[in-house]
Coordinates of all heavy atoms in Angstrom, one line a residue:
M1 N -187.0 -79.6 -109.6 CA -186.6 -79.3 -111.0 C -186.4 -80.6 -111.8 O -186.6 -80.6 -113.0 CB -185.4 -78.4 -111.0 CG -185.6 -77.1 -110.3 SD -187.1 -76.2 -110.8 CE -186.8 -75.6 -112.4
F2 N -185.9 -81.6 -111.1 CA -185.7 -82.9 -111.9 C -187.0 -83.4 -112.5 O -187.0 -83.9 -113.6 CB -185.1 -84.0 -110.9 CG -185.0 -85.3 -111.5 CD1 -183.9 -85.7 -112.3 CD2 -186.0 -86.2 -111.4 CE1 -183.8 -86.9 -112.9 CE2 -186.0 -87.5 -112.0 CZ -184.8 -87.8 -112.8
F3 N -188.1 -83.3 -111.7 CA -189.3 -83.9 -112.2 C -189.8 -83.0 -113.4 O -190.4 -83.6 -114.4 CB -190.4 -83.9 -111.1 CG -190.0 -84.8 -110.0 CD1 -189.7 -84.4 -108.8 CD2 -190.1 -86.2 -110.2 CE1 -189.4 -85.3 -107.8 CE2 -189.8 -87.1 -109.2 CZ -189.4 -86.6 -108.0
I4 N -189.6 -81.7 -113.4 CA -190.0 -80.9 -114.5 C -189.2 -81.3 -115.8 O -189.7 -81.5 -116.9 CB -189.9 -79.4 -114.2 CG1 -190.9 -79.0 -113.2 CG2 -190.0 -78.5 -115.5 CD1 -190.8 -77.6 -112.6
A5 N -187.9 -81.4 -115.6 CA -187.0 -81.8 -116.7 C -187.4 -83.2 -117.3 O -187.4 -83.4 -118.5 CB -185.6 -81.7 -116.3
A6 N -187.6 -84.1 -116.4 CA -187.9 -85.5 -116.8 C -189.3 -85.5 -117.5 O -189.4 -86.2 -118.6 CB -187.9 -86.4 -115.6
G7 N -190.3 -84.8 -117.0 CA -191.6 -84.7 -117.6 C -191.5 -84.1 -119.0 O -192.1 -84.5 -120.0
Y8 N -190.7 -83.0 -119.1 CA -190.5 -82.3 -120.3 C -189.9 -83.2 -121.4 O -190.3 -83.2 -122.5 CB -189.7 -81.0 -120.1 CG -189.5 -80.2 -121.4 CD1 -190.5 -79.4 -121.8 CD2 -188.3 -80.3 -122.1 CE1 -190.4 -78.6 -123.0 CE2 -188.1 -79.5 -123.3 CZ -189.2 -78.7 -123.7 OH -189.0 -78.0 -124.8
A9 N -188.9 -84.0 -121.0 CA -188.2 -84.9 -121.9 C -189.2 -85.9 -122.4 O -189.2 -86.3 -123.6 CB -187.0 -85.6 -121.2
K10 N -190.1 -86.5 -121.5 CA -191.0 -87.5 -121.9 C -192.1 -86.9 -122.9 O -192.6 -87.6 -123.7 CB -191.7 -88.1 -120.7 CG -190.9 -89.0 -119.9 CD -191.6 -89.5 -118.7 CE -190.7 -90.3 -117.8 NZ -190.2 -89.6 -116.7
L11 N -192.3 -85.6 -122.8 CA -193.3 -85.0 -123.7 C -192.7 -84.6 -125.0 O -193.3 -84.6 -126.1 CB -193.8 -83.7 -123.1 CG -194.8 -83.9 -122.0 CD1 -195.2 -82.6 -121.3 CD2 -196.1 -84.6 -122.5
T12 N -191.4 -84.2 -125.1 CA -190.8 -83.6 -126.3 C -189.8 -84.5 -127.0 O -189.7 -84.3 -128.2 CB -190.1 -82.3 -125.9 OG1 -189.0 -82.6 -125.0 CG2 -191.1 -81.3 -125.3
E13 N -189.2 -85.5 -126.4 CA -188.2 -86.3 -127.0 C -188.9 -87.4 -127.9 O -189.9 -87.9 -127.5 CB -187.3 -87.0 -126.0 CG -186.3 -86.1 -125.3 CD -185.2 -85.6 -126.3 OE1 -184.7 -86.3 -127.1 OE2 -184.9 -84.4 -126.1
P14 N -188.3 -87.7 -129.0 CA -188.8 -88.8 -129.8 C -188.7 -90.1 -129.0 O -187.8 -90.3 -128.2 CB -187.9 -88.9 -131.0 CG -187.2 -87.5 -131.1 CD -187.1 -87.0 -129.7
M15 N -189.6 -91.0 -129.3 CA -189.7 -92.2 -128.5 C -188.3 -93.0 -128.7 O -187.9 -93.7 -127.7 CB -190.8 -93.1 -129.0 CG -192.2 -92.6 -128.5 SD -192.3 -92.6 -126.7 CE -192.5 -94.4 -126.4
T16 N -187.7 -93.0 -129.8 CA -186.4 -93.7 -130.0 C -185.4 -93.2 -129.0 O -184.6 -94.0 -128.4 CB -185.9 -93.6 -131.4 OG1 -185.8 -92.2 -131.8 CG2 -186.8 -94.3 -132.4
N17 N -185.3 -91.9 -128.8 CA -184.4 -91.3 -127.8 C -184.8 -91.8 -126.4 O -183.9 -92.1 -125.6 CB -184.4 -89.8 -127.8 CG -183.7 -89.3 -129.0 OD1 -183.2 -90.0 -129.9 ND2 -183.7 -87.9 -129.2
L18 N -186.0 -91.8 -126.0 CA -186.5 -92.2 -124.7 C -186.2 -93.7 -124.5 O -185.8 -94.0 -123.4 CB -188.0 -91.9 -124.5 CG -188.4 -90.4 -124.5 CD1 -189.9 -90.3 -124.4 CD2 -187.8 -89.7 -123.3
I19 N -186.3 -94.5 -125.5 CA -186.0 -95.9 -125.4 C -184.5 -96.1 -125.1 O -184.1 -96.9 -124.3 CB -186.5 -96.7 -126.6 CG1 -188.0 -96.7 -126.7 CG2 -185.9 -98.1 -126.7 CD1 -188.6 -97.1 -128.0
N20 N -183.7 -95.3 -125.8 CA -182.2 -95.4 -125.7 C -181.8 -94.9 -124.3 O -180.9 -95.5 -123.7 CB -181.5 -94.6 -126.7 CG -181.6 -95.2 -128.1 OD1 -181.8 -96.4 -128.2 ND2 -181.5 -94.4 -129.1
L21 N -182.5 -93.9 -123.8 CA -182.1 -93.4 -122.4 C -182.6 -94.2 -121.3 O -181.9 -94.4 -120.3 CB -182.7 -91.9 -122.3 CG -182.0 -90.8 -123.1 CD1 -182.9 -89.6 -123.0 CD2 -180.6 -90.6 -122.6
M22 N -183.9 -94.7 -121.4 CA -184.5 -95.3 -120.2 C -184.8 -96.8 -120.4 O -185.0 -97.5 -119.5 CB -185.8 -94.6 -119.8 CG -185.5 -93.1 -119.4 SD -187.0 -92.3 -118.9 CE -187.6 -91.7 -120.5
G23 N -185.0 -97.2 -121.6 CA -185.3 -98.6 -121.9 C -186.8 -99.0 -121.8 O -187.4 -99.5 -122.7
W24 N -187.4 -98.6 -120.6 CA -188.8 -99.0 -120.4 C -189.8 -98.5 -121.4 O -190.9 -99.1 -121.6 CB -189.2 -98.7 -119.0 CG -189.3 -97.3 -118.6 CD1 -188.4 -96.5 -118.0 CD2 -190.4 -96.4 -118.8 NE1 -188.8 -95.3 -117.9 CE2 -190.1 -95.2 -118.3 CE3 -191.7 -96.6 -119.4 CZ2 -190.9 -94.1 -118.4 CZ3 -192.6 -95.5 -119.4 CH2 -192.2 -94.3 -118.9
P25 N -189.6 -97.3 -122.0 CA -190.6 -96.9 -123.0 C -190.8 -97.8 -124.2 O -191.8 -97.8 -124.9 CB -190.1 -95.5 -123.5 CG -189.3 -95.0 -122.3 CD -188.7 -96.2 -121.7
A26 N -189.9 -98.8 -124.4 CA -190.0 -99.7 -125.5 C -191.2 -100.7 -125.2 O -191.7 -101.2 -126.2 CB -188.7 -100.5 -125.6
V27 N -191.5 -100.9 -124.0 CA -192.6 -101.8 -123.7 C -193.9 -101.1 -123.2 O -194.9 -101.7 -122.7 CB -192.2 -102.8 -122.6 CG1 -191.1 -103.7 -123.1 CG2 -191.8 -102.2 -121.3
A28 N -193.9 -99.8 -123.3 CA -195.1 -99.0 -122.9 C -195.6 -98.2 -124.1 O -194.9 -97.8 -125.0 CB -194.7 -98.0 -121.8
P29 N -197.0 -98.1 -124.2 CA -197.5 -97.3 -125.3 C -197.1 -95.8 -125.2 O -196.8 -95.3 -124.1 CB -199.0 -97.3 -125.0 CG -199.3 -98.4 -124.0 CD -198.0 -98.6 -123.3
E30 N -196.9 -95.2 -126.4 CA -196.4 -93.8 -126.4 C -197.3 -92.9 -125.6 O -196.8 -92.0 -124.9 CB -196.3 -93.3 -127.9 CG -195.8 -91.9 -128.0 CD -195.5 -91.5 -129.4 OE1 -195.7 -92.2 -130.3 OE2 -195.2 -90.3 -129.5
N31 N -198.6 -93.1 -125.7 CA -199.6 -92.2 -125.0 C -199.3 -92.3 -123.4 O -199.5 -91.3 -122.7 CB -201.0 -92.6 -125.3 CG -201.4 -92.2 -126.7 OD1 -200.8 -91.3 -127.2 ND2 -202.5 -92.8 -127.2
M32 N -199.0 -93.5 -123.0 CA -198.7 -93.7 -121.5 C -197.4 -92.9 -121.2 O -197.4 -92.2 -120.1 CB -198.5 -95.1 -121.2 CG -198.2 -95.4 -119.7 SD -198.1 -97.1 -119.4 CE -196.8 -97.1 -118.2
V33 N -196.4 -93.0 -122.0 CA -195.1 -92.3 -121.7 C -195.4 -90.8 -121.7 O -194.9 -90.0 -120.8 CB -194.0 -92.6 -122.8 CG1 -192.8 -91.8 -122.5 CG2 -193.7 -94.1 -122.7
R34 N -196.1 -90.3 -122.7 CA -196.4 -88.8 -122.8 C -197.3 -88.4 -121.6 O -197.1 -87.4 -121.0 CB -197.1 -88.5 -124.1 CG -196.3 -88.9 -125.4 CD -195.0 -88.2 -125.5 NE -194.4 -88.6 -126.8 CZ -193.1 -88.5 -127.1 NH1 -192.3 -87.9 -126.2 NH2 -192.7 -88.9 -128.2
G35 N -198.3 -89.3 -121.2 CA -199.1 -89.0 -120.1 C -198.3 -88.9 -118.8 O -198.6 -88.0 -118.0
L36 N -197.4 -89.8 -118.6 CA -196.5 -89.7 -117.4 C -195.7 -88.4 -117.4 O -195.5 -87.9 -116.3 CB -195.6 -90.9 -117.4 CG -196.2 -92.2 -116.9 CD1 -195.2 -93.4 -117.1 CD2 -196.7 -92.2 -115.5
G37 N -195.3 -88.0 -118.6 CA -194.6 -86.7 -118.6 C -195.5 -85.5 -118.2 O -195.0 -84.7 -117.4
V38 N -196.7 -85.5 -118.6 CA -197.7 -84.5 -118.1 C -197.9 -84.6 -116.6 O -197.8 -83.6 -115.9 CB -199.0 -84.6 -118.9 CG1 -200.1 -83.7 -118.3 CG2 -198.8 -84.3 -120.4
V39 N -198.1 -85.8 -116.1 CA -198.4 -86.0 -114.7 C -197.1 -85.5 -113.9 O -197.3 -84.8 -112.9 CB -198.7 -87.4 -114.4 CG1 -198.7 -87.7 -112.9 CG2 -200.1 -87.8 -115.0
E40 N -196.0 -85.9 -114.4 CA -194.7 -85.5 -113.7 C -194.6 -84.0 -113.6 O -194.2 -83.4 -112.5 CB -193.5 -86.1 -114.4 CG -192.4 -86.6 -113.5 CD -191.5 -87.5 -114.2 OE1 -191.6 -87.7 -115.5 OE2 -190.6 -88.1 -113.5
M41 N -194.8 -83.3 -114.7 CA -194.7 -81.9 -114.7 C -195.7 -81.2 -113.8 O -195.4 -80.3 -113.1 CB -194.8 -81.3 -116.1 CG -193.6 -81.7 -117.0 SD -193.6 -81.0 -118.6 CE -193.4 -79.3 -118.3
V42 N -197.0 -81.7 -113.8 CA -198.0 -81.1 -113.0 C -197.7 -81.3 -111.5 O -197.8 -80.3 -110.7 CB -199.4 -81.7 -113.4 CG1 -200.5 -81.3 -112.4 CG2 -199.8 -81.2 -114.8
L43 N -197.3 -82.5 -111.2 CA -197.0 -82.7 -109.8 C -195.8 -81.9 -109.3 O -195.7 -81.3 -108.2 CB -196.7 -84.2 -109.5 CG -197.9 -85.1 -109.7 CD1 -197.5 -86.6 -109.6 CD2 -199.0 -84.8 -108.6
A44 N -194.8 -81.7 -110.2 CA -193.6 -80.9 -109.9 C -194.0 -79.5 -109.7 O -193.5 -78.8 -108.7 CB -192.6 -81.0 -111.0
L45 N -194.9 -78.9 -110.5 CA -195.4 -77.6 -110.3 C -196.2 -77.4 -109.0 O -196.1 -76.4 -108.3 CB -196.2 -77.1 -111.5 CG -195.4 -77.0 -112.8 CD1 -196.3 -76.7 -114.0 CD2 -194.3 -75.8 -112.7
G46 N -196.9 -78.5 -108.7 CA -197.6 -78.5 -107.4 C -196.7 -78.4 -106.2 O -197.0 -77.7 -105.2
V47 N -195.5 -79.1 -106.3 CA -194.6 -79.0 -105.2 C -194.0 -77.5 -105.1 O -193.7 -77.1 -104.0 CB -193.4 -80.0 -105.4 CG1 -192.3 -79.8 -104.4 CG2 -194.0 -81.4 -105.2
L48 N -193.9 -76.8 -106.2 CA -193.4 -75.5 -106.2 C -194.5 -74.4 -105.8 O -194.2 -73.3 -105.7 CB -192.8 -75.1 -107.5 CG -191.6 -76.0 -107.9 CD1 -191.1 -75.6 -109.3 CD2 -190.5 -75.7 -106.9
S49 N -195.8 -74.8 -105.7 CA -196.9 -73.9 -105.6 C -196.8 -73.0 -104.3 O -197.2 -71.9 -104.3 CB -198.2 -74.6 -105.6 OG -198.3 -75.5 -104.6
P50 N -196.2 -73.5 -103.2 CA -196.1 -72.6 -102.0 C -195.2 -71.4 -102.3 O -195.3 -70.4 -101.5 CB -195.4 -73.5 -101.0 CG -195.8 -74.9 -101.3 CD -195.8 -74.8 -102.8
L51 N -194.5 -71.4 -103.3 CA -193.7 -70.2 -103.7 C -194.6 -69.0 -104.0 O -194.3 -67.8 -103.9 CB -192.7 -70.4 -104.8 CG -191.6 -71.4 -104.6 CD1 -190.9 -71.7 -105.9 CD2 -190.7 -70.9 -103.5
I52 N -195.8 -69.3 -104.5 CA -196.8 -68.3 -104.8 C -197.6 -67.8 -103.6 O -197.7 -66.7 -103.3 CB -197.7 -68.8 -106.0 CG1 -196.9 -69.1 -107.2 CG2 -198.8 -67.8 -106.2 CD1 -197.6 -69.8 -108.3
S53 N -198.1 -68.8 -102.9 CA -199.0 -68.5 -101.7 C -198.9 -69.8 -100.8 O -199.3 -70.9 -101.2 CB -200.4 -68.2 -102.1 OG -201.3 -68.3 -101.0
W54 N -198.5 -69.6 -99.6 CA -198.5 -70.7 -98.6 C -199.9 -71.3 -98.3 O -200.1 -72.5 -98.3 CB -197.8 -70.3 -97.4 CG -197.7 -71.4 -96.4 CD1 -198.3 -71.5 -95.2 CD2 -196.9 -72.6 -96.5 NE1 -198.0 -72.7 -94.6 CE2 -197.1 -73.4 -95.4 CE3 -196.1 -73.1 -97.5 CZ2 -196.6 -74.7 -95.2 CZ3 -195.5 -74.4 -97.3 CH2 -195.7 -75.1 -96.2
R55 N -200.8 -70.4 -98.2 CA -202.2 -70.8 -97.8 C -202.8 -71.7 -98.9 O -203.4 -72.7 -98.7 CB -203.1 -69.6 -97.5 CG -204.4 -70.0 -96.9 CD -205.1 -68.8 -96.3 NE -205.4 -67.9 -97.4 CZ -206.6 -67.3 -97.6 NH1 -207.5 -67.5 -96.7 NH2 -206.8 -66.5 -98.6
V56 N -202.6 -71.3 -100.2 CA -203.1 -72.0 -101.3 C -202.2 -73.1 -101.7 O -202.6 -74.3 -102.0 CB -203.4 -71.1 -102.5 CG1 -203.8 -71.9 -103.7 CG2 -204.4 -70.1 -102.1
G57 N -200.9 -72.9 -101.6 CA -199.9 -73.8 -102.1 C -199.6 -75.0 -101.2 O -199.3 -76.1 -101.7
R58 N -199.9 -74.8 -99.9 CA -199.6 -75.9 -99.0 C -200.4 -77.2 -99.3 O -199.8 -78.3 -99.4 CB -199.8 -75.5 -97.5 CG -199.4 -76.6 -96.5 CD -199.5 -76.1 -95.1 NE -199.2 -77.1 -94.2 CZ -200.1 -78.0 -93.7 NH1 -201.4 -77.8 -94.0 NH2 -199.7 -78.9 -92.8
P59 N -201.7 -77.1 -99.5 CA -202.5 -78.3 -99.8 C -202.0 -78.9 -101.2 O -202.0 -80.1 -101.3 CB -203.9 -77.8 -99.9 CG -204.0 -76.6 -99.1 CD -202.6 -76.0 -99.2
L60 N -201.7 -78.0 -102.1 CA -201.2 -78.5 -103.4 C -199.9 -79.2 -103.2 O -199.7 -80.3 -103.9 CB -201.1 -77.3 -104.4 CG -202.4 -76.7 -104.8 CD1 -202.1 -75.5 -105.7 CD2 -203.3 -77.7 -105.6
L61 N -199.0 -78.7 -102.4 CA -197.7 -79.3 -102.2 C -197.9 -80.7 -101.6 O -197.3 -81.6 -102.0 CB -196.9 -78.4 -101.2 CG -195.6 -79.1 -100.7 CD1 -194.4 -78.4 -101.3 CD2 -195.6 -79.1 -99.2
L62 N -198.8 -80.8 -100.6 CA -199.0 -82.1 -99.9 C -199.6 -83.1 -100.9 O -199.1 -84.3 -100.9 CB -199.9 -81.9 -98.7 CG -199.4 -81.1 -97.6 CD1 -200.4 -80.9 -96.5 CD2 -198.1 -81.6 -97.0
T63 N -200.5 -82.7 -101.7 CA -201.1 -83.6 -102.7 C -200.0 -84.0 -103.8 O -199.9 -85.2 -104.1 CB -202.3 -82.9 -103.4 OG1 -203.2 -82.6 -102.4 CG2 -202.9 -83.8 -104.4
A64 N -199.3 -83.0 -104.3 CA -198.3 -83.3 -105.3 C -197.2 -84.2 -104.8 O -196.7 -85.1 -105.5 CB -197.7 -82.0 -105.8
A65 N -196.7 -83.9 -103.6 CA -195.7 -84.7 -103.0 C -196.1 -86.2 -102.8 O -195.4 -87.1 -103.1 CB -195.2 -84.2 -101.6
T66 N -197.4 -86.3 -102.4 CA -197.9 -87.7 -102.3 C -198.0 -88.4 -103.6 O -197.6 -89.5 -103.7 CB -199.3 -87.6 -101.6 OG1 -199.2 -87.0 -100.3 CG2 -200.0 -89.0 -101.5
G67 N -198.4 -87.6 -104.6 CA -198.5 -88.2 -106.0 C -197.1 -88.6 -106.5 O -197.0 -89.7 -107.1
L68 N -196.1 -87.8 -106.3 CA -194.8 -88.1 -106.7 C -194.2 -89.3 -106.0 O -193.6 -90.2 -106.6 CB -193.8 -86.9 -106.5 CG -194.0 -85.7 -107.5 CD1 -193.2 -84.5 -107.0 CD2 -193.6 -86.2 -108.9
I69 N -194.5 -89.4 -104.7 CA -194.1 -90.6 -103.9 C -194.7 -91.9 -104.5 O -194.0 -92.9 -104.6 CB -194.4 -90.4 -102.4 CG1 -193.5 -89.3 -101.8 CG2 -194.3 -91.7 -101.6 CD1 -193.9 -88.8 -100.5
V70 N -196.0 -91.8 -104.7 CA -196.7 -93.0 -105.3 C -196.1 -93.3 -106.7 O -195.8 -94.5 -106.9 CB -198.2 -92.7 -105.4 CG1 -198.9 -93.8 -106.3 CG2 -198.8 -92.7 -104.0
M71 N -195.9 -92.3 -107.5 CA -195.3 -92.6 -108.8 C -193.9 -93.1 -108.7 O -193.5 -94.1 -109.4 CB -195.3 -91.3 -109.6 CG -194.9 -91.5 -111.1 SD -195.0 -90.0 -112.1 CE -193.7 -89.0 -111.3
E72 N -193.1 -92.6 -107.9 CA -191.7 -93.0 -107.8 C -191.6 -94.4 -107.2 O -190.8 -95.2 -107.6 CB -190.8 -92.0 -107.0 CG -190.6 -90.7 -107.7 CD -190.0 -90.9 -109.1 OE1 -189.1 -91.7 -109.3 OE2 -190.4 -90.2 -110.0
A73 N -192.4 -94.7 -106.2 CA -192.4 -96.0 -105.6 C -192.9 -97.1 -106.6 O -192.3 -98.2 -106.7 CB -193.3 -96.1 -104.4
T74 N -193.8 -96.7 -107.4 CA -194.3 -97.7 -108.5 C -193.2 -97.9 -109.5 O -192.9 -99.0 -109.8 CB -195.5 -97.1 -109.2 OG1 -196.6 -96.9 -108.2 CG2 -196.0 -98.0 -110.3
M75 N -192.5 -96.8 -109.9 CA -191.4 -97.0 -110.9 C -190.2 -97.7 -110.3 O -189.6 -98.5 -110.9 CB -191.0 -95.6 -111.4 CG -192.1 -95.0 -112.3 SD -192.8 -96.1 -113.6 CE -191.5 -96.4 -114.6
L76 N -190.0 -97.5 -109.0 CA -188.9 -98.2 -108.3 C -189.2 -99.7 -108.4 O -188.3 -100.5 -108.7 CB -188.8 -97.8 -106.8 CG -187.8 -98.6 -105.9 CD1 -186.4 -98.5 -106.4 CD2 -187.9 -98.1 -104.5
A77 N -190.5 -100.1 -108.1 CA -190.9 -101.5 -108.2 C -190.7 -102.1 -109.6 O -190.2 -103.2 -109.8 CB -192.3 -101.7 -107.6
V78 N -191.2 -101.3 -110.5 CA -191.1 -101.7 -112.0 C -189.6 -102.0 -112.3 O -189.3 -103.0 -112.9 CB -191.8 -100.7 -112.9 CG1 -191.4 -101.0 -114.3 CG2 -193.3 -100.7 -112.7
H79 N -188.8 -101.0 -112.0 CA -187.4 -101.1 -112.4 C -186.7 -102.3 -111.6 O -185.8 -103.0 -112.1 CB -186.6 -99.8 -112.1 CG -187.1 -98.7 -113.0 ND1 -187.2 -98.9 -114.4 CD2 -187.4 -97.4 -112.8 CE1 -187.6 -97.7 -114.9 NE2 -187.8 -96.9 -113.9
A80 N -187.1 -102.5 -110.3 CA -186.5 -103.6 -109.6 C -186.9 -104.9 -110.1 O -186.0 -105.8 -110.3 CB -186.9 -103.5 -108.1
V81 N -188.2 -105.1 -110.5 CA -188.6 -106.3 -111.1 C -187.9 -106.6 -112.4 O -187.5 -107.7 -112.7 CB -190.1 -106.3 -111.3 CG1 -190.6 -107.4 -112.2 CG2 -190.9 -106.3 -110.0
N82 N -187.6 -105.5 -113.2 CA -187.0 -105.7 -114.5 C -185.4 -105.7 -114.3 O -184.7 -105.8 -115.3 CB -187.3 -104.6 -115.4 CG -188.8 -104.7 -115.9 OD1 -189.3 -105.8 -116.1 ND2 -189.4 -103.6 -116.1
R83 N -185.0 -105.7 -113.1 CA -183.5 -105.7 -112.8 C -182.7 -104.6 -113.4 O -181.6 -104.8 -113.8 CB -182.9 -107.1 -113.1 CG -183.5 -108.2 -112.4 CD -182.8 -109.5 -112.6 NE -183.4 -110.6 -111.8 CZ -183.8 -111.7 -112.4 NH1 -183.7 -111.9 -113.7 NH2 -184.4 -112.6 -111.6
D84 N -183.4 -103.5 -113.5 CA -182.7 -102.2 -114.0 C -182.2 -101.5 -112.8 O -182.9 -100.5 -112.3 CB -183.7 -101.4 -114.9 CG -183.0 -100.3 -115.6 OD1 -181.8 -100.0 -115.3 OD2 -183.6 -99.7 -116.5
I85 N -181.1 -101.9 -112.3 CA -180.6 -101.4 -111.0 C -180.3 -99.9 -111.0 O -180.6 -99.1 -110.1 CB -179.3 -102.1 -110.6 CG1 -179.6 -103.6 -110.5 CG2 -178.8 -101.6 -109.3 CD1 -180.8 -104.0 -109.6
G86 N -179.8 -99.4 -112.2 CA -179.5 -97.9 -112.3 C -180.8 -97.1 -112.1 O -180.8 -96.1 -111.3
L87 N -181.8 -97.4 -112.8 CA -183.0 -96.6 -112.7 C -183.8 -96.8 -111.4 O -184.4 -95.9 -110.9 CB -184.0 -96.9 -113.9 CG -183.5 -96.4 -115.3 CD1 -184.4 -96.8 -116.4 CD2 -183.4 -94.8 -115.3
A88 N -183.6 -98.0 -110.9 CA -184.2 -98.3 -109.5 C -183.5 -97.4 -108.5 O -184.2 -96.9 -107.6 CB -184.1 -99.8 -109.2
A89 N -182.2 -97.3 -108.6 CA -181.5 -96.5 -107.7 C -181.8 -95.0 -107.8 O -182.0 -94.3 -106.8 CB -180.0 -96.7 -107.9
V90 N -182.0 -94.5 -109.0 CA -182.5 -93.1 -109.2 C -183.8 -92.9 -108.5 O -184.0 -91.9 -107.8 CB -182.5 -92.8 -110.7 CG1 -183.3 -91.5 -111.0 CG2 -181.1 -92.8 -111.3
N91 N -184.7 -93.9 -108.7 CA -186.0 -93.7 -108.1 C -185.9 -93.8 -106.5 O -186.7 -93.1 -105.8 CB -187.0 -94.8 -108.6 CG -187.5 -94.4 -110.0 OD1 -188.4 -93.6 -110.1 ND2 -186.9 -95.0 -111.0
A92 N -185.0 -94.6 -106.0 CA -184.8 -94.6 -104.6 C -184.3 -93.3 -104.1 O -184.7 -92.8 -103.0 CB -183.9 -95.8 -104.2
I93 N -183.4 -92.7 -104.8 CA -182.8 -91.4 -104.4 C -183.9 -90.3 -104.5 O -184.1 -89.5 -103.6 CB -181.6 -91.0 -105.3 CG1 -180.5 -91.9 -105.0 CG2 -181.2 -89.6 -105.1 CD1 -179.3 -91.9 -106.0
L94 N -184.8 -90.4 -105.5 CA -185.8 -89.4 -105.6 C -186.8 -89.5 -104.5 O -187.4 -88.6 -104.0 CB -186.5 -89.5 -107.0 CG -185.7 -89.1 -108.2 CD1 -186.4 -89.5 -109.5 CD2 -185.4 -87.6 -108.1
L95 N -187.1 -90.8 -104.1 CA -188.0 -91.0 -102.9 C -187.3 -90.4 -101.7 O -188.0 -89.8 -100.8 CB -188.2 -92.5 -102.7 CG -189.3 -93.1 -103.6 CD1 -189.3 -94.6 -103.5 CD2 -190.7 -92.6 -103.1
A96 N -186.0 -90.6 -101.5 CA -185.3 -90.1 -100.4 C -185.4 -88.5 -100.3 O -185.4 -87.9 -99.2 CB -183.9 -90.5 -100.4
F97 N -185.6 -87.9 -101.4 CA -185.7 -86.4 -101.5 C -187.2 -86.0 -101.2 O -187.5 -85.0 -100.6 CB -185.3 -85.8 -102.8 CG -183.8 -85.8 -103.0 CD1 -183.2 -86.3 -104.1 CD2 -183.0 -85.2 -102.0 CE1 -181.8 -86.3 -104.3 CE2 -181.6 -85.2 -102.1 CZ -181.0 -85.7 -103.3
T98 N -188.1 -86.8 -101.8 CA -189.5 -86.4 -101.8 C -190.2 -86.7 -100.5 O -191.1 -85.9 -100.0 CB -190.3 -87.1 -103.0 OG1 -189.5 -86.9 -104.2 CG2 -191.7 -86.5 -103.1
I99 N -189.9 -87.8 -99.9 CA -190.6 -88.2 -98.6 C -190.4 -87.1 -97.5 O -191.3 -86.7 -96.9 CB -190.2 -89.6 -98.2 CG1 -190.8 -90.6 -99.1 CG2 -190.6 -89.9 -96.7 CD1 -190.3 -92.1 -98.9
P100 N -189.2 -86.6 -97.3 CA -189.0 -85.6 -96.3 C -189.8 -84.3 -96.6 O -190.2 -83.6 -95.7 CB -187.5 -85.3 -96.3 CG -186.9 -86.5 -96.8 CD -187.9 -87.1 -97.8
V101 N -189.9 -84.0 -97.9 CA -190.7 -82.8 -98.3 C -192.2 -83.0 -97.8 O -192.7 -82.1 -97.1 CB -190.7 -82.6 -99.8 CG1 -191.8 -81.6 -100.2 CG2 -189.3 -82.2 -100.3
L102 N -192.7 -84.2 -98.0 CA -194.1 -84.4 -97.5 C -194.2 -84.4 -96.0 O -195.0 -83.7 -95.4 CB -194.6 -85.8 -98.1 CG -196.0 -86.2 -97.5 CD1 -197.1 -85.2 -98.0 CD2 -196.3 -87.6 -98.0
L103 N -193.3 -85.1 -95.4 CA -193.3 -85.2 -93.9 C -193.0 -83.9 -93.2 O -193.6 -83.5 -92.2 CB -192.3 -86.3 -93.4 CG -192.7 -87.7 -93.9 CD1 -191.6 -88.7 -93.4 CD2 -194.0 -88.2 -93.4
G104 N -192.1 -83.1 -93.8 CA -191.7 -81.8 -93.2 C -192.8 -80.8 -93.4 O -192.9 -79.9 -92.5
R105 N -193.5 -80.8 -94.4 CA -194.6 -79.8 -94.7 C -195.9 -80.2 -94.1 O -196.8 -79.3 -94.1 CB -194.7 -79.6 -96.2 CG -193.4 -79.0 -96.8 CD -193.1 -77.7 -96.2 NE -191.8 -77.2 -96.8 CZ -191.1 -76.3 -96.3 NH1 -191.3 -75.9 -95.1 NH2 -190.0 -75.9 -96.9
R106 N -196.1 -81.4 -93.7 CA -197.4 -81.8 -93.1 C -197.6 -81.0 -91.8 O -198.7 -80.6 -91.5 CB -197.4 -83.3 -92.7 CG -197.8 -84.2 -93.7 CD -197.9 -85.6 -93.2 NE -197.0 -85.8 -92.1 CZ -197.0 -86.9 -91.3 NH1 -197.8 -87.8 -91.6 NH2 -196.2 -87.0 -90.3
R107 N -196.6 -80.7 -91.0 CA -196.7 -80.1 -89.7 C -196.6 -78.6 -89.8 O -196.9 -77.9 -88.8 CB -195.6 -80.6 -88.8 CG -195.7 -82.1 -88.6 CD -194.6 -82.5 -87.6 NE -193.7 -83.5 -87.7 CZ -193.7 -84.6 -88.4 NH1 -194.6 -84.9 -89.1 NH2 -192.8 -85.5 -88.4
A108 N -196.1 -78.1 -90.8 CA -195.8 -76.6 -90.9 C -197.1 -75.8 -90.9 O -198.1 -76.2 -91.1 CB -195.0 -76.3 -92.1

């Protein structure tokens, strides 16, 4: 649900609010911030897809979890390089939640 909320915020909030909340949108084009919001929401919905059908949803879950891990690891690196420890920690926590989802569902 965090990823859906974060993606929704990136899509709907004015850029000034996003800059105040996160900082990094100040150095990113608006289209990139909005695009990340769309990607975040689509991947989050992919993680929830097994709720509809395990046979169809399992491959979507694995793909979406992999995408979220790549996105979160990239953002962790970006925040670490920029010395934004708070956002880097949030991304590390999100990785700690997402990696077990991928690993646990690979074998199921």
Side-chain angles (χ1 to χ4, degrees):
M1 298 313 289
F2 173 86
F3 294 110
I4 291 173
Y8 182 78
K10 288 179 185 97
L11 285 174
T12 60
E13 288 293 319
M15 285 298 287
T16 53
N17 288 358
L18 294 174
I19 290 167
N20 289 334
L21 288 171
M22 297 182 275
W24 67 265
V27 296
E30 183 174 354
N31 289 338
M32 181 178 143
V33 175
R34 305 296 184 199
L36 282 172
V38 170
V39 169
E40 215 163 10
M41 289 183 71
V42 168
L43 292 174
L45 292 172
V47 169
L48 296 175
S49 63
L51 295 173
I52 297 167
S53 165
W54 180 249
R55 193 168 61 135
V56 174
R58 185 174 177 271
L60 292 174
L61 170 113
L62 296 174
T63 303
T66 302
L68 286 171
I69 289 168
V70 168
M71 186 175 70
E72 291 306 321
T74 302
M75 292 311 295
L76 173 62
V78 167
H79 294 313
V81 166
N82 290 327
R83 297 188 181 124
D84 190 350
I85 302 306
L87 289 175
V90 167
N91 283 281
I93 291 167
L94 290 172
L95 277 170
F97 287 128
T98 310
I99 290 171
V101 169
L102 176 65
L103 297 177
R105 297 301 180 200
R106 272 186 334 171
R107 300 184 230 332

